[in-house]
Amino acid sequence: MNFSRYNAYRIMWVLVLFDLPTETKKQRSQATRFRKDLLDDGFTMFQFSIYLRHCPSKENADVHIRRVKKSLPQHGKVGIICITDKQFGQMEIFFSKQQTDLPSTPQQLELF
């Protein structure tokens, strides 16, 4: 059996879902900082409070999950979920009742 290092069951997607308070200037600043940290770590905004990142393996996903946990704001609710590429590919996305494409998978480079 030929096993690919990068297959739909090994590749992972990390989703970060959050609801952060923005009542005060300090809270808005912390929420902005958290979003910026996600972007700096390679996450992409899927919806305003949902960011996602493609990872080549569970081990790599764990690294990014630890980074998210280190940058958690003082207040608010944050959820982190890790799903396989196969599960992610089964998602159906609609915009104004029209089905749309899933976010594109980054090109994976393999160095020898």
Side-chain angles (χ1 to χ4, degrees):
M1 182 167 101
N2 187 9
F3 176 76
S4 172
R5 276 186 22 189
Y6 302 108
N7 68 37
Y9 296 99
R10 181 157 167 73
I11 296 170
M12 305 299 289
W13 287 87
V14 177
L15 286 79
V16 179
L17 310 91
F18 56 89
D19 187 12
L20 304 177
T22 56
E23 300 290 317
T24 67
K25 186 175 181 178
K26 181 179 180 183
Q27 289 172 337
R28 284 189 298 278
S29 175
Q30 288 178 346
T32 299
R33 170 89 261 162
F34 183 67
R35 284 192 295 275
K36 185 177 181 328
D37 288 345
L38 290 173
L39 292 171
D40 288 348
D41 193 35
F43 283 82
T44 302
M45 185 170 53
F46 182 71
Q47 291 183 359
F48 185 69
S49 296
I50 302 174
Y51 283 65
L52 51 85
R53 188 183 200 293
H54 179 266
C55 297
S57 67
K58 175 68 171 130
E59 295 78 14
N60 182 261
D62 290 340
V63 168
H64 294 287
I65 290 169
R66 280 194 298 274
R67 288 181 187 163
V68 171
K69 289 178 179 179
K70 284 183 182 177
S71 68
L72 290 173
Q74 187 175 3
H75 300 286
K77 189 175 191 177
V78 177
I80 303 169
I81 186 169
C82 198
I83 62 173
T84 66
D85 192 47
K86 184 76 172 173
Q87 291 167 321
F88 186 81
Q90 294 173 345
M91 181 175 15
E92 293 183 79
I93 300 174
F94 297 86
F95 183 74
S96 301
K97 294 191 177 188
Q98 298 294 316
Q99 191 162 9
T100 61
D101 295 332
L102 291 171
S104 60
T105 302
Q107 185 75 18
Q108 184 66 46
L109 300 177
E110 188 168 337
L111 302 175
F112 298 96

